[in-house]
Amino acid sequence: MLNEGGGVGKESVSQPASADDFLPVFILIVLKAQPQRLYASLEYIASFRRPAQLCGERHYYLVQLQTAVAFLEHMDGAAVSMEVDEFEQQLQEREQLWESRAQGRGAEQEGAEDESVHVAREDDKGVLSDDGSL
């Protein structure tokens, strides 16, 4: 991803994307992808990886994923330059949308585990849950 161009806009044409440009885009990708069992996958990698196999670029991307998850866990309106009220309103709307999608999927796949992304709340902050929800 870092090698794929200089970003958007005239000022970025002369300067290629840097590692600082990667994390915000990666956070958005994680949100849009709604990865299933994200916590379990991260814990598995952290627990059972071979240190010799996870170095250099592989380690960089693992750390970036862990950083993206940590950001999403503690995200609030200030973290994304939004008013608190607007953030809370949009968060509630998205939670309702995700829940309705999950219920629709559950009706189609009786007995199947719901792997959709949800936003759990704790102490008025967005938190990722370990039960497969966001």
Side-chain angles (χ1 to χ4, degrees), residues 43-123:
E43 284 298 315
Y44 179 82
I45 293 168
S47 298
F48 298 108
R49 69 175 190 243
R50 289 184 181 166
Q53 295 276 329
L54 193 62
C55 59
E57 190 173 355
R58 292 178 185 167
H59 187 253
Y60 172 80
Y61 288 117
L62 175 61
V63 169
Q64 293 299 308
L65 180 57
Q66 291 169 330
T67 303
V69 169
F71 174 82
L72 293 170
E73 282 179 332
H74 303 2
M75 182 175 59
D76 60 5
V80 290
S81 301
M82 292 177 70
E83 294 294 325
V84 174
D85 293 339
E86 180 184 0
F87 178 81
E88 292 298 323
Q89 179 185 358
Q90 287 191 22
L91 180 64
Q92 288 176 356
E93 289 172 5
R94 296 299 179 198
E95 286 175 335
Q96 292 171 356
L97 177 64
W98 289 332
E99 287 174 9
S100 67
R101 287 180 183 171
Q103 290 172 356
R105 221 182 350 239
E108 295 171 6
Q109 304 172 359
E110 286 185 22
E113 183 182 24
D114 178 22
E115 296 292 341
S116 64
V117 175
H118 298 278
V119 177
R121 301 297 290 163
E122 179 177 296
D123 299 329

Side-chain angles (χ1 to χ4, degrees), residues 29-49:
I29 289 169
V30 170
L31 277 174
K32 294 287 187 175
Q34 299 181 3
Q36 297 179 1
R37 295 182 287 280
L38 180 58
Y39 275 108
S41 297
L42 285 173
E43 284 298 315
Y44 179 82
I45 293 168
S47 298
F48 298 108
R49 69 175 190 243

